[in-house]
Amino acid sequence: MPTALVTGVTGQDGSYLAELLLKQGYKVIGMVRRTSTINFDRIRHIQDEIEIAQGDLLDQLSLISILQEYRPQEVYNLAAQSFVPTSFSQPVLTGEFTALGVTRLLDAIRIVDPSIRFYQASSSEMFGKVREVPQSEDTPFYPRSPYGVAKVYGHWITVNYRESYDIYACSGILFNHESPRRGLEFVTHKITSGVARIKLGLSKELRLGNLDSRRDWGYAPDYVRAMWLMLQQDNPDDYVVATGETHSVREFLEESFGHVDLDWQEFVVQDDSYYRPAEVDLLVGDASKAGRQLGWEPSVSFGELVRLMVDADLEYWQRQLKRDAASSA
Ligand code: NAP
Ligand code: G4F
């Protein structure tokens, strides 16, 4: 039974990747950082099937100790400060987690077992002010946020350790991917949760920032499959993972409010406080290399993604309403 370590297992991608690895017969070690309140909402259903190891990307010794104790063959580094606006207000902390954290983990691998296969969660945010359309593995980076800058560092240190120390290290340049498990602060889930609340009479408005930016939005479970495929090849490499379609935030609004027969323009309020100091206007990926070499392709369309997220939020808020009604009866 192979063993895999997943950092960021409590996050959106970590939870889906842990499910996939369990299905493939792996022993899964999920690294979690110490918090005063346990935050296992996304992994509660598999909590008994995985092992939890305490560690932090800020703490070198914890990373070395986990590798020494569990001896994984594969390490997926999904942990990061992943919210772009926070990277503007906490740029140094973002650099510590999202940039230097990658080096700490790669150094732990180099010290404990350089034969470990390593996946780094790189991001289309690295393309930022895009140099070409669509963006591929060969497109130059031009990050537009401290988060994007930190991810560029994480990407290149992964390439550098591969070339310097012969580590099987891959960087997956993943475009935005979403699901009902997406953090509520990200625009897709903020919108679909808002739509459900408005439909059920729990909210009257939805406050948003820039509606013109365009993203290549895919479905998270498809994207974790690409991560796993990258570590199963003969040679390590870097891959763009994307749908190849781009849509504006406005289109996301039309589709999601339209799904419940509402007109988004009656409910959305534009709020300057959600604008960023620098914006990434347009992302659209060319995943043809992943298609050719990994046999990967997305399985969920933009419309399907929006609808499944709205439906999941409607179900969630309906359940909450029933619970509230039962407890006040
Ligand atoms: P997410 O939901 O924000 O999850 C981030 C995870 O990192 C959480 O489990 C968090 O733990 C953990 N973490 C944060 N700081 C840590 C630290 N110092 N030590 C240990 N763990 C720490 O992110 P996601 O959407 O699943 O994304 C996974 C990875 O892919 C991230 O690296 C992200 O930057 C990258 N990425 C995401 C997308 C996307 O569209 N989702 C696209 C490209 C790249 P807590 O639960 O304790 O906070
Ligand atoms: O959902 P977002 O916050 O995602 P963003 O900034 O594209 O970053 C996500 O995708 C990256 C991959 O490219 C990941 F690496 C990163 O970790 C993260 O998962 O914002 C999307 C767009 C932006 O242009 C933003 O300005 O939506 C716009 N937006 C408009 N109103 C908003 C809002 N974003 C948020 N979060 N909240 C708003 O109210």
Side-chain angles (χ1 to χ4, degrees):
M1 184 193 264
T3 300
L5 172 71
V6 179
T7 75
V9 74
T10 55
Q12 171 189 256
D13 291 6
S15 65
Y16 285 119
L17 179 64
E19 280 174 13
L20 176 105
L21 293 170
L22 286 171
K23 275 198 200 111
Q24 307 278 6
Y26 283 73
K27 174 176 174 183
V28 178
I29 315 302
M31 190 182 95
V32 300
R33 56 181 169 165
R34 149 88 189 142
T35 48
S36 65
T37 310
I38 288 176
N39 164 28
F40 287 179
D41 288 356
R42 296 183 178 107
I43 52 169
R44 205 166 302 288
H45 59 297
I46 49 169
Q47 208 179 319
D48 296 338
E49 296 169 70
I50 66 179
E51 276 196 54
I52 298 294
Q54 268 204 15
D56 198 303
L57 286 182
L58 297 183
D59 189 274
Q60 183 76 66
L61 181 62
S62 68
L63 304 176
I64 293 171
S65 303
I66 290 174
L67 296 187
Q68 279 173 338
E69 184 175 348
Y70 294 99
R71 293 280 165 184
Q73 286 81 45
E74 296 176 11
V75 170
Y76 295 85
N77 183 34
L78 310 187
Q81 191 302 94
S82 71
F83 191 46
V84 171
T86 299
S87 80
F88 284 104
S89 55
Q90 300 181 7
V92 174
L93 188 66
T94 300
E96 286 287 350
F97 287 6
T98 306
L100 287 178
V102 187
T103 313
R104 291 192 192 96
L105 194 47
L106 282 164
D107 269 341
I109 288 174
R110 202 157 65 88
I111 290 165
V112 177
D113 179 4
S115 76
I116 289 173
R117 294 188 168 207
F118 177 76
Y119 172 84
Q120 167 57 16
S122 290
S123 165
S124 51
E125 270 287 311
M126 302 190 302
F127 296 122
K129 190 170 179 179
V130 298
R131 307 284 87 191
E132 63 179 349
V133 178
Q135 297 86 50
S136 74
E137 295 79 6
D138 300 321
T139 303
F141 299 139
Y142 193 140
R144 293 274 278 173
S145 64
Y147 169 82
V149 173
K151 282 289 180 186
V152 171
Y153 175 93
H155 171 82
W156 282 117
I157 201 72
T158 300
V159 174
N160 182 260
Y161 272 49
R162 176 167 79 217
E163 293 175 355
S164 305
Y165 306 115
D166 205 21
I167 293 176
Y168 187 112
C170 298
S171 168
I173 307 175
L174 272 51
F175 283 62
N176 299 51
H177 45 279
E178 319 294 317
S179 74
R181 294 187 202 166
R182 183 60 140 153
L184 275 168
E185 66 276 35
F186 297 94
V187 79
T188 54
H189 204 183
K190 183 173 172 180
I191 293 173
T192 59
S193 180
V195 167
R197 288 177 56 83
I198 289 168
K199 184 71 185 173
L200 297 172
L202 294 167
S203 290
K204 290 194 163 44
E205 64 172 33
L206 177 60
R207 302 187 83 83
L208 294 170
N210 181 12
L211 307 186
D212 294 320
S213 57
R214 304 183 71 84
R215 291 291 183 273
D216 180 330
W217 278 297
Y219 183 46
D222 282 343
Y223 286 51
V224 301
R225 190 160 34 84
M227 298 175 187
W228 176 75
L229 284 168
M230 284 180 216
L231 296 202
Q232 313 311 313
Q233 306 304 305
D234 290 338
N235 297 301
D237 209 339
D238 308 321
Y239 298 89
V240 159
V241 179
T243 69
E245 263 188 43
T246 188
H247 296 275
S248 64
V249 174
R250 189 174 277 102
E251 286 165 32
F252 198 102
L253 283 169
E254 279 161 10
E255 193 81 25
S256 48
F257 276 88
H259 182 48
V260 295
D261 301 318
L262 293 176
D263 177 358
W264 69 273
Q265 300 192 70
E266 291 175 22
F267 303 98
V268 171
V269 177
Q270 275 192 274
D271 182 334
D272 288 349
S273 67
Y274 291 109
Y275 279 74
R276 298 169 183 189
E279 179 60 282
V280 172
D281 296 321
L282 161 72
L283 290 175
V284 57
D286 170 3
S288 50
K289 179 176 169 184
R292 243 182 359 261
Q293 290 181 212
L294 305 177
W296 180 86
E297 56 179 41
S299 73
V300 173
S301 71
F302 174 72
E304 286 166 341
L305 173 67
V306 175
R307 290 191 290 277
L308 77 82
M309 288 181 70
V310 172
D311 289 342
D313 282 320
L314 277 170
E315 221 180 286
Y316 172 82
W317 285 110
Q318 271 158 350
R319 260 199 324 272
Q320 294 302 113
L321 278 172
K322 272 194 198 135
R323 201 166 298 163
D324 290 352
S327 66
S328 64

